[in-house]
Amino acid sequence: MKITGTFIDEISHDIPHQNWGREEWAKDFAHMKAMGIDTVILIRSGYRRFITYPSVYLQNKFGCYEPPIDLVELYLQLADEHDMKFYFGLYDSGHYWDTGNLQHEIDANRYVIDEVWTKYGHYKSFGGWYLSMEISRRTKGATDAFNTLGLQCKGVSNGLPTFISPWIDGKKAVMAAEATLTKENAVSLKEHEDEWSEIFSGLKGSIDAVAFQDGHVDYHELQDFFEVNKKMADQFGLQCWTNAESFDRDMPIKFLPIKFEKLRLKLEAARKAGYDKAITFEFSHFMSPQSAYIQAHHLYNRYQEYAKNL
């Protein structure tokens, strides 16, 4: 199964910023295209006070900093040039992480969605929306948040697709700031299916695809979880994508490019489960030939060798 999409993370709040400008981004989009990527996804348009585009609303409402460059416009221009689809990722105020209350994200993004579509909706590559609220299990207000924001995104953009990328609450689902790599109270396969079936059953045409993050369960557990994910997606009329993490959750240094063997295991599990698309978090740091991590250069080469045989 080939990787045909990637997140772009330029807020970089838990991975180092690479300090790229227009020239470096232009080269990276060319590398993405050479790898077969046709979809780029802004993982979030802002996090707390740092933002990727000069939002009048976010600067006035939350005191966000004026960004030195309009990255959203740059990405759309490059996506236009390379005939890619660009998905806009919503704003993350940080309040949900502090309080567990998703209402803050709903309130902020109702303005952001309108502002962004008015400002950038004319680009031919503007192809969809990413609802950036990351959850793992039954979360208070999750269904309402997905419905409210997803329907608004589709409403302003004449029905452009939306997707979410939650995580499986497996044994490797620990916070990046924690020193540990695993936890004891991992979700069971049945709990995962029951809880996500409940969430999906409450969606009202607001979400088109789900891309579960694949790094939180062990490699021998992947097939069972992937098959359950595909069954649920089919049952509730969703496309089933995989978010194939190209960084390694098994090492005490967070986060470095993944060992190719592990990435291959995850992609093969998604292929066997009949997934519709593979995206990754994320190309520029962990797979790009110009990444700050030299291991990423080699991962790109190993992946290209693998993809030639598919």
Side-chain angles (χ1 to χ4, degrees), residues 1 168 192 210-214 222-231 233 239-243 266-267 269-279:
M1 188 164 192
I168 301 166
H192 174 72
V210 57
F212 279 102
Q213 301 168 31
D214 71 358
L222 284 170
Q223 202 64 54
D224 289 339
F225 276 96
F226 279 14
E227 288 173 2
V228 162
N229 291 344
K230 184 65 167 69
K231 182 176 77 169
Q239 286 193 13
C240 191
W241 300 359
T242 187
N243 179 357
K266 298 192 293 183
L267 291 173
R271 179 187 62 81
K272 290 176 184 176
Y275 275 29
D276 299 301
K277 187 178 182 70
I279 62 177

CSV table of all heavy atoms in Angstrom, one decimal, residues 1 168 192 210-214 222-231 233 239-243 266-267 269-279:
chain,number,residue,atom,x,y,z
A,1,MET,N,0.8,-1.2,0.0
A,1,MET,CA,0.0,0.0,0.0
A,1,MET,C,0.9,1.2,0.0
A,1,MET,O,1.8,1.4,0.8
A,1,MET,CB,-0.9,0.0,1.2
A,1,MET,CG,-1.9,1.1,1.2
A,1,MET,SD,-3.3,0.8,2.4
A,1,MET,CE,-4.4,2.1,1.8
A,168,ILE,N,-5.9,5.2,18.5
A,168,ILE,CA,-6.4,4.0,19.3
A,168,ILE,C,-5.7,4.1,20.6
A,168,ILE,O,-4.5,4.3,20.7
A,168,ILE,CB,-6.0,2.7,18.5
A,168,ILE,CG1,-6.6,2.7,17.1
A,168,ILE,CG2,-6.4,1.5,19.3
A,168,ILE,CD1,-6.0,1.7,16.2
A,192,HIS,N,-12.8,-0.8,22.0
A,192,HIS,CA,-12.5,0.1,20.9
A,192,HIS,C,-13.7,0.1,19.9
A,192,HIS,O,-14.2,1.2,19.4
A,192,HIS,CB,-11.2,-0.3,20.2
A,192,HIS,CG,-10.9,0.5,18.9
A,192,HIS,ND1,-10.5,1.8,18.9
A,192,HIS,CD2,-10.9,0.1,17.6
A,192,HIS,CE1,-10.2,2.2,17.7
A,192,HIS,NE2,-10.5,1.2,16.9
A,210,VAL,N,-12.2,8.6,8.1
A,210,VAL,CA,-11.5,8.4,9.3
A,210,VAL,C,-10.1,7.8,9.1
A,210,VAL,O,-10.0,6.8,8.4
A,210,VAL,CB,-12.3,7.6,10.4
A,210,VAL,CG1,-12.6,6.2,9.8
A,210,VAL,CG2,-11.6,7.6,11.7
A,211,ALA,N,-9.1,8.4,9.7
A,211,ALA,CA,-7.7,7.9,9.5
A,211,ALA,C,-7.1,7.7,10.9
A,211,ALA,O,-6.5,8.6,11.5
A,211,ALA,CB,-6.9,8.9,8.7
A,212,PHE,N,-7.4,6.5,11.5
A,212,PHE,CA,-6.8,6.2,12.8
A,212,PHE,C,-5.3,6.2,12.7
A,212,PHE,O,-4.7,5.7,11.8
A,212,PHE,CB,-7.3,4.9,13.3
A,212,PHE,CG,-8.7,4.9,13.9
A,212,PHE,CD1,-9.8,4.4,13.2
A,212,PHE,CD2,-8.9,5.3,15.2
A,212,PHE,CE1,-11.1,4.4,13.7
A,212,PHE,CE2,-10.2,5.3,15.8
A,212,PHE,CZ,-11.3,4.9,15.0
A,213,GLN,N,-4.7,6.9,13.8
A,213,GLN,CA,-3.3,6.8,13.9
A,213,GLN,C,-2.8,5.4,14.2
A,213,GLN,O,-3.5,4.7,15.0
A,213,GLN,CB,-2.8,7.8,15.0
A,213,GLN,CG,-3.2,9.2,14.8
A,213,GLN,CD,-3.1,10.1,16.0
A,213,GLN,OE1,-2.2,9.9,16.8
A,213,GLN,NE2,-3.9,11.1,16.1
A,214,ASP,N,-1.8,4.9,13.6
A,214,ASP,CA,-1.4,3.5,13.7
A,214,ASP,C,-0.3,3.2,14.7
A,214,ASP,O,0.1,2.1,14.8
A,214,ASP,CB,-1.1,3.0,12.3
A,214,ASP,CG,0.3,3.4,11.8
A,214,ASP,OD1,0.9,4.3,12.5
A,214,ASP,OD2,0.6,3.0,10.7
A,222,LEU,N,-1.9,-5.0,15.1
A,222,LEU,CA,-2.4,-4.1,14.0
A,222,LEU,C,-3.5,-4.7,13.2
A,222,LEU,O,-4.6,-4.0,13.0
A,222,LEU,CB,-1.3,-3.7,13.1
A,222,LEU,CG,-0.3,-2.7,13.6
A,222,LEU,CD1,0.9,-2.6,12.7
A,222,LEU,CD2,-0.9,-1.3,13.8
A,223,GLN,N,-3.3,-5.9,12.8
A,223,GLN,CA,-4.3,-6.5,11.9
A,223,GLN,C,-5.7,-6.6,12.5
A,223,GLN,O,-6.7,-6.2,11.8
A,223,GLN,CB,-3.9,-7.9,11.4
A,223,GLN,CG,-4.5,-8.4,10.1
A,223,GLN,CD,-4.0,-7.5,8.9
A,223,GLN,OE1,-2.9,-7.3,8.7
A,223,GLN,NE2,-5.0,-6.9,8.2
A,224,ASP,N,-5.8,-7.0,13.7
A,224,ASP,CA,-7.1,-7.1,14.3
A,224,ASP,C,-7.8,-5.7,14.4
A,224,ASP,O,-9.0,-5.5,14.1
A,224,ASP,CB,-7.0,-7.7,15.7
A,224,ASP,CG,-6.7,-9.2,15.7
A,224,ASP,OD1,-7.0,-9.8,14.6
A,224,ASP,OD2,-6.2,-9.7,16.7
A,225,PHE,N,-7.0,-4.7,14.9
A,225,PHE,CA,-7.6,-3.3,15.0
A,225,PHE,C,-7.9,-2.8,13.7
A,225,PHE,O,-9.0,-2.1,13.5
A,225,PHE,CB,-6.6,-2.4,15.8
A,225,PHE,CG,-6.7,-2.5,17.3
A,225,PHE,CD1,-5.9,-3.4,18.0
A,225,PHE,CD2,-7.7,-1.8,18.0
A,225,PHE,CE1,-6.0,-3.5,19.4
A,225,PHE,CE2,-7.8,-1.9,19.3
A,225,PHE,CZ,-7.0,-2.7,20.0
A,226,PHE,N,-7.1,-3.0,12.7
A,226,PHE,CA,-7.4,-2.5,11.3
A,226,PHE,C,-8.6,-3.1,10.7
A,226,PHE,O,-9.4,-2.4,10.1
A,226,PHE,CB,-6.2,-2.7,10.4
A,226,PHE,CG,-5.0,-1.7,10.6
A,226,PHE,CD1,-5.0,-0.9,11.7
A,226,PHE,CD2,-4.0,-1.7,9.7
A,226,PHE,CE1,-3.9,0.0,11.8
A,226,PHE,CE2,-3.0,-0.8,9.8
A,226,PHE,CZ,-2.9,0.1,10.9
A,227,GLU,N,-8.8,-4.4,10.9
A,227,GLU,CA,-10.0,-5.0,10.4
A,227,GLU,C,-11.3,-4.5,11.1
A,227,GLU,O,-12.3,-4.3,10.4
A,227,GLU,CB,-9.9,-6.5,10.5
A,227,GLU,CG,-8.9,-7.1,9.6
A,227,GLU,CD,-8.6,-8.6,9.8
A,227,GLU,OE1,-9.3,-9.2,10.7
A,227,GLU,OE2,-7.8,-9.2,9.1
A,228,VAL,N,-11.2,-4.2,12.4
A,228,VAL,CA,-12.3,-3.6,13.1
A,228,VAL,C,-12.6,-2.2,12.6
A,228,VAL,O,-13.7,-1.8,12.3
A,228,VAL,CB,-12.1,-3.6,14.6
A,228,VAL,CG1,-13.0,-2.6,15.3
A,228,VAL,CG2,-12.3,-5.0,15.2
A,229,ASN,N,-11.5,-1.4,12.4
A,229,ASN,CA,-11.7,-0.1,11.8
A,229,ASN,C,-12.4,-0.1,10.5
A,229,ASN,O,-13.3,0.8,10.2
A,229,ASN,CB,-10.3,0.6,11.7
A,229,ASN,CG,-9.7,0.9,13.1
A,229,ASN,OD1,-10.4,0.9,14.1
A,229,ASN,ND2,-8.4,1.2,13.1
A,230,LYS,N,-12.0,-1.0,9.6
A,230,LYS,CA,-12.5,-1.0,8.3
A,230,LYS,C,-14.0,-1.5,8.4
A,230,LYS,O,-14.9,-0.9,7.6
A,230,LYS,CB,-11.8,-2.0,7.4
A,230,LYS,CG,-12.2,-2.1,6.0
A,230,LYS,CD,-12.0,-0.8,5.2
A,230,LYS,CE,-12.2,-0.9,3.7
A,230,LYS,NZ,-13.5,-1.2,3.3
A,231,LYS,N,-14.3,-2.4,9.2
A,231,LYS,CA,-15.7,-2.9,9.4
A,231,LYS,C,-16.6,-1.7,9.8
A,231,LYS,O,-17.7,-1.5,9.3
A,231,LYS,CB,-15.8,-4.0,10.4
A,231,LYS,CG,-17.2,-4.6,10.6
A,231,LYS,CD,-17.2,-5.8,11.5
A,231,LYS,CE,-17.1,-5.4,13.0
A,231,LYS,NZ,-17.3,-6.5,13.9
A,233,ALA,N,-16.0,1.6,9.5
A,233,ALA,CA,-16.1,2.6,8.5
A,233,ALA,C,-17.1,2.2,7.4
A,233,ALA,O,-17.9,3.0,7.0
A,233,ALA,CB,-14.7,2.8,7.9
A,239,GLN,N,-15.0,6.6,4.5
A,239,GLN,CA,-13.8,6.0,3.9
A,239,GLN,C,-12.8,5.7,5.1
A,239,GLN,O,-12.8,6.4,6.1
A,239,GLN,CB,-13.1,7.1,3.0
A,239,GLN,CG,-13.8,7.2,1.7
A,239,GLN,CD,-13.0,8.0,0.7
A,239,GLN,OE1,-11.8,8.2,0.9
A,239,GLN,NE2,-13.6,8.5,-0.4
A,240,CYS,N,-12.1,4.6,4.9
A,240,CYS,CA,-11.2,4.2,5.9
A,240,CYS,C,-9.7,4.4,5.4
A,240,CYS,O,-9.3,3.7,4.5
A,240,CYS,CB,-11.4,2.7,6.2
A,240,CYS,SG,-10.5,2.1,7.7
A,241,TRP,N,-9.1,5.4,6.0
A,241,TRP,CA,-7.7,5.7,5.7
A,241,TRP,C,-6.8,5.2,6.9
A,241,TRP,O,-7.3,5.0,8.0
A,241,TRP,CB,-7.5,7.2,5.5
A,241,TRP,CG,-8.2,7.8,4.5
A,241,TRP,CD1,-9.1,7.3,3.6
A,241,TRP,CD2,-8.2,9.2,4.1
A,241,TRP,NE1,-9.6,8.2,2.7
A,241,TRP,CE2,-9.1,9.4,3.0
A,241,TRP,CE3,-7.5,10.3,4.6
A,241,TRP,CZ2,-9.3,10.7,2.4
A,241,TRP,CZ3,-7.7,11.6,4.1
A,241,TRP,CH2,-8.6,11.8,3.0
A,242,THR,N,-5.5,5.1,6.7
A,242,THR,CA,-4.6,4.9,7.8
A,242,THR,C,-3.7,6.1,7.9
A,242,THR,O,-3.2,6.6,6.9
A,242,THR,CB,-3.8,3.6,7.6
A,242,THR,OG1,-3.1,3.3,8.8
A,242,THR,CG2,-2.9,3.6,6.4
A,243,ASN,N,-3.4,6.5,9.1
A,243,ASN,CA,-2.4,7.5,9.4
A,243,ASN,C,-1.2,6.7,9.8
A,243,ASN,O,-1.0,6.4,10.9
A,243,ASN,CB,-2.9,8.4,10.5
A,243,ASN,CG,-1.8,9.5,10.8
A,243,ASN,OD1,-0.7,9.5,10.3
A,243,ASN,ND2,-2.2,10.4,11.7
A,266,LYS,N,3.2,-1.8,9.1
A,266,LYS,CA,2.0,-1.1,9.2
A,266,LYS,C,1.2,-0.9,7.9
A,266,LYS,O,0.0,-1.0,7.8
A,266,LYS,CB,2.2,0.3,9.9
A,266,LYS,CG,2.8,0.1,11.3
A,266,LYS,CD,2.9,1.4,12.1
A,266,LYS,CE,3.8,2.4,11.6
A,266,LYS,NZ,3.8,3.6,12.4
A,267,LEU,N,2.0,-0.6,6.9
A,267,LEU,CA,1.4,-0.4,5.6
A,267,LEU,C,0.8,-1.8,5.0
A,267,LEU,O,-0.3,-1.8,4.4
A,267,LEU,CB,2.4,0.1,4.6
A,267,LEU,CG,2.8,1.6,4.8
A,267,LEU,CD1,4.0,1.9,3.9
A,267,LEU,CD2,1.7,2.5,4.6
A,269,ALA,N,-0.4,-4.2,6.9
A,269,ALA,CA,-1.6,-4.5,7.6
A,269,ALA,C,-2.8,-3.7,7.1
A,269,ALA,O,-3.9,-4.2,7.0
A,269,ALA,CB,-1.4,-4.2,9.1
A,270,ALA,N,-2.5,-2.4,6.7
A,270,ALA,CA,-3.6,-1.6,6.1
A,270,ALA,C,-4.0,-2.2,4.8
A,270,ALA,O,-5.2,-2.2,4.4
A,270,ALA,CB,-3.1,-0.2,6.0
A,271,ARG,N,-3.1,-2.6,4.0
A,271,ARG,CA,-3.4,-3.2,2.7
A,271,ARG,C,-4.3,-4.4,2.9
A,271,ARG,O,-5.3,-4.6,2.2
A,271,ARG,CB,-2.1,-3.6,1.9
A,271,ARG,CG,-2.4,-4.2,0.6
A,271,ARG,CD,-1.1,-4.7,-0.1
A,271,ARG,NE,-0.4,-5.7,0.7
A,271,ARG,CZ,-0.8,-7.0,0.7
A,271,ARG,NH1,-1.8,-7.4,0.0
A,271,ARG,NH2,-0.1,-7.9,1.5
A,272,LYS,N,-3.9,-5.3,3.8
A,272,LYS,CA,-4.6,-6.6,4.0
A,272,LYS,C,-6.0,-6.3,4.5
A,272,LYS,O,-7.0,-7.0,4.2
A,272,LYS,CB,-3.9,-7.5,5.0
A,272,LYS,CG,-2.6,-8.0,4.4
A,272,LYS,CD,-1.9,-8.8,5.5
A,272,LYS,CE,-0.5,-9.3,5.0
A,272,LYS,NZ,0.3,-10.0,6.0
A,273,ALA,N,-6.2,-5.2,5.2
A,273,ALA,CA,-7.5,-4.8,5.7
A,273,ALA,C,-8.4,-4.1,4.7
A,273,ALA,O,-9.6,-3.9,5.0
A,273,ALA,CB,-7.4,-4.0,7.0
A,274,GLY,N,-7.8,-3.8,3.6
A,274,GLY,CA,-8.6,-3.2,2.5
A,274,GLY,C,-8.8,-1.7,2.7
A,274,GLY,O,-9.8,-1.2,2.2
A,275,TYR,N,-7.9,-1.0,3.3
A,275,TYR,CA,-8.0,0.4,3.5
A,275,TYR,C,-8.0,1.2,2.2
A,275,TYR,O,-7.5,0.8,1.2
A,275,TYR,CB,-6.9,0.9,4.4
A,275,TYR,CG,-7.1,0.8,5.9
A,275,TYR,CD1,-7.9,-0.2,6.4
A,275,TYR,CD2,-6.5,1.7,6.8
A,275,TYR,CE1,-8.1,-0.3,7.8
A,275,TYR,CE2,-6.7,1.6,8.1
A,275,TYR,CZ,-7.5,0.6,8.6
A,275,TYR,OH,-7.7,0.4,10.0
A,276,ASP,N,-8.7,2.4,2.2
A,276,ASP,CA,-8.8,3.2,1.0
A,276,ASP,C,-7.7,4.1,0.7
A,276,ASP,O,-7.4,4.4,-0.5
A,276,ASP,CB,-10.1,4.1,1.2
A,276,ASP,CG,-11.4,3.2,1.4
A,276,ASP,OD1,-11.7,2.4,0.5
A,276,ASP,OD2,-12.0,3.4,2.4
A,277,LYS,N,-6.9,4.5,1.7
A,277,LYS,CA,-5.8,5.5,1.4
A,277,LYS,C,-4.9,5.4,2.6
A,277,LYS,O,-5.3,5.2,3.7
A,277,LYS,CB,-6.4,6.9,1.3
A,277,LYS,CG,-5.4,8.0,0.8
A,277,LYS,CD,-6.1,9.3,0.7
A,277,LYS,CE,-5.2,10.4,0.2
A,277,LYS,NZ,-4.7,10.2,-1.2
A,278,ALA,N,-3.6,5.7,2.3
A,278,ALA,CA,-2.6,5.8,3.4
A,278,ALA,C,-2.0,7.2,3.4
A,278,ALA,O,-1.5,7.7,2.3
A,278,ALA,CB,-1.5,4.7,3.2
A,279,ILE,N,-2.1,7.9,4.5
A,279,ILE,CA,-1.4,9.1,4.7
A,279,ILE,C,-0.4,9.0,5.8
A,279,ILE,O,-0.4,7.9,6.5
A,279,ILE,CB,-2.4,10.3,5.0
A,279,ILE,CG1,-3.1,10.0,6.4
A,279,ILE,CG2,-3.4,10.4,3.9
A,279,ILE,CD1,-4.1,11.1,6.8
